[in-house]
Amino acid sequence: MKKAFSVVVEKKVQDFLRDEAGMSRRMVKDLKKNGGFFRNGAVVSHYDKLSPGDVLTVEFPAVHTLPAEPEATPLTVVYEDEDVLLIDKPVGMVTTPSCQHPHGTVVQAVLHHYTLQNWKQTVHLVNRLDRDTGGLLLIAKHPYSHSLFYKEEAGLRKGYTALVEGMMEGKQGRITSPIARAQDSIIKREISAEGKSAVTRYEVLEEMGDKTLVSVGLETGRTHQIRVHMASIGHPLTGDTLYGAGPSAWSEGQALHASFLQFIHPWTKEKMSFRSAPSFYPKARKLSD
């Protein structure tokens, strides 16, 4: 994979990559060892000098060792180019392989998708979703794109839709209770004064019988944050077996969906916004009638 940069200031190649392209020292070091540099089409070294008007082309190394075996699992691709891949993850699909879930994961499906394109890179997750949370999952298709998503100018914004138990007082609210790992569990989280700061915003979208459809936004990103916060105010997610009443006919797993994603494209700098409808919504509407 190659990327071309327009040079506007006189600098050495390695300094340009760090100062102007925003690459880390580690990435530049890897490029020195495994990549390639071309000034106006001619091979140059990392210490050669660039002049205004030059075009620096960087060749990123291919990845030959994959983190998992590719598997031909269908993917719902929402958007894709050479820098990013956005999919709509189904409920019940694990994101990364593990001892408990060695097959059928997002990572393995994406690796297979890459093999069909002869794309020799690994999977760089920008956001993560629990197995029972469906919706928009963003993947950077190479290390440079991935690194740019962690800069402030990436403008990454995420929104969720959830179905919660009970009728809520008021149309919107903000939960600021800190969250910590529960003392008796390696998985469960709880509200704790000794926990990390956590802020969740919610707005009522629709009242559905004895349940409420809400839009949720996060100002922080703690593990299980939405599930813990909504349960803490007496409105656990429908179908949540860890923080709620347990399985529900209204949803498969907890009724939580990553329904909105906005970001600044790492290469074109275009603001991009996407939406996805939760699979549990039509079922909930039908059951509430």
Side-chain angles (χ1 to χ4, degrees), residues 117 191 206:
Q117 303 174 326
I191 301 300
E206 186 176 348

Side-chain angles (χ1 to χ4, degrees), residues 116-188:
L116 298 179
Q117 303 174 326
N118 196 31
W119 188 256
K120 300 181 188 293
Q121 297 291 329
T122 188
V123 181
H124 301 277
L125 298 167
V126 178
N127 65 314
R128 293 175 182 267
L129 298 175
D130 293 340
R131 178 183 62 182
D132 291 330
T133 301
L136 298 172
L137 184 64
L138 181 60
I139 299 157
K141 291 183 65 175
H142 53 83
Y144 181 50
S145 173
H146 190 232
S147 68
L148 294 177
F149 274 116
Y150 287 91
K151 296 183 180 295
E152 187 176 345
E153 56 267 26
L156 192 63
R157 291 181 54 206
K158 297 174 284 186
Y160 299 81
T161 302
L163 187 68
V164 303
E165 295 295 309
M167 308 294 286
M168 306 189 76
E169 294 184 9
K171 294 299 183 182
Q172 58 187 17
R174 188 169 181 264
I175 309 169
T176 60
S177 304
I179 294 175
R181 187 193 300 271
Q183 295 183 359
D184 58 348
S185 174
I186 62 172
I187 298 173
K188 195 172 183 179

Side-chain angles (χ1 to χ4, degrees), residues 51-72:
S51 300
D54 285 344
V55 174
L56 172 66
T57 301
V58 178
E59 183 174 17
F60 292 83
V63 173
H64 300 289
T65 302
L66 300 178
E69 193 68 26
E71 293 183 0

Side-chain angles (χ1 to χ4, degrees), residues 49-276:
K49 189 170 290 187
L50 302 169
S51 300
D54 285 344
V55 174
L56 172 66
T57 301
V58 178
E59 183 174 17
F60 292 83
V63 173
H64 300 289
T65 302
L66 300 178
E69 193 68 26
E71 293 183 0
T73 305
L75 284 175
T76 300
V77 176
V78 178
Y79 175 83
E80 183 176 17
D81 58 29
E82 69 173 13
D83 300 298
V84 299
L85 170 65
L86 181 65
I87 67 170
D88 202 329
K89 187 186 87 66
V91 173
M93 190 176 194
V94 174
T95 302
T96 57
S98 65
C99 294
Q100 293 78 22
H101 303 284
H103 301 290
T105 68
V106 170
V107 165
Q108 290 160 307
V110 171
L111 288 174
H112 176 74
H113 181 72
Y114 285 174
T115 62
L116 298 179
Q117 303 174 326
N118 196 31
W119 188 256
K120 300 181 188 293
Q121 297 291 329
T122 188
V123 181
H124 301 277
L125 298 167
V126 178
N127 65 314
R128 293 175 182 267
L129 298 175
D130 293 340
R131 178 183 62 182
D132 291 330
T133 301
L136 298 172
L137 184 64
L138 181 60
I139 299 157
K141 291 183 65 175
H142 53 83
Y144 181 50
S145 173
H146 190 232
S147 68
L148 294 177
F149 274 116
Y150 287 91
K151 296 183 180 295
E152 187 176 345
E153 56 267 26
L156 192 63
R157 291 181 54 206
K158 297 174 284 186
Y160 299 81
T161 302
L163 187 68
V164 303
E165 295 295 309
M167 308 294 286
M168 306 189 76
E169 294 184 9
K171 294 299 183 182
Q172 58 187 17
R174 188 169 181 264
I175 309 169
T176 60
S177 304
I179 294 175
R181 187 193 300 271
Q183 295 183 359
D184 58 348
S185 174
I186 62 172
I187 298 173
K188 195 172 183 179
R189 267 56 178 176
E190 64 184 9
I191 301 300
S192 171
E194 286 73 43
K196 295 181 179 179
S197 64
V199 180
T200 302
R201 292 174 285 101
Y202 66 87
E203 181 178 354
V204 173
L205 297 176
E206 186 176 348
E207 294 177 344
M208 310 181 74
D210 61 348
K211 298 176 181 12
T212 305
L213 191 72
V214 295
S215 172
V216 184
L218 299 178
E219 295 182 23
T220 55
R222 308 304 176 202
T223 301
H224 296 175
Q225 180 174 319
I226 295 174
R227 299 165 67 185
V228 174
H229 267 175
M230 297 310 295
S232 74
I233 61 171
H235 297 285
L237 270 59
T238 297
D240 194 335
T241 59
L242 191 60
Y243 302 101
S248 170
W250 293 60
S251 65
E252 180 185 349
Q254 70 266 4
L256 180 64
H257 188 82
S259 54
F260 174 75
L261 191 66
Q262 183 180 90
F263 58 90
I264 304 299
H265 192 282
W267 188 253
T268 67
K269 305 307 177 187
E270 176 188 359
K271 181 185 284 188
M272 308 189 78
S273 299
F274 300 90
R275 292 188 180 276
S276 168

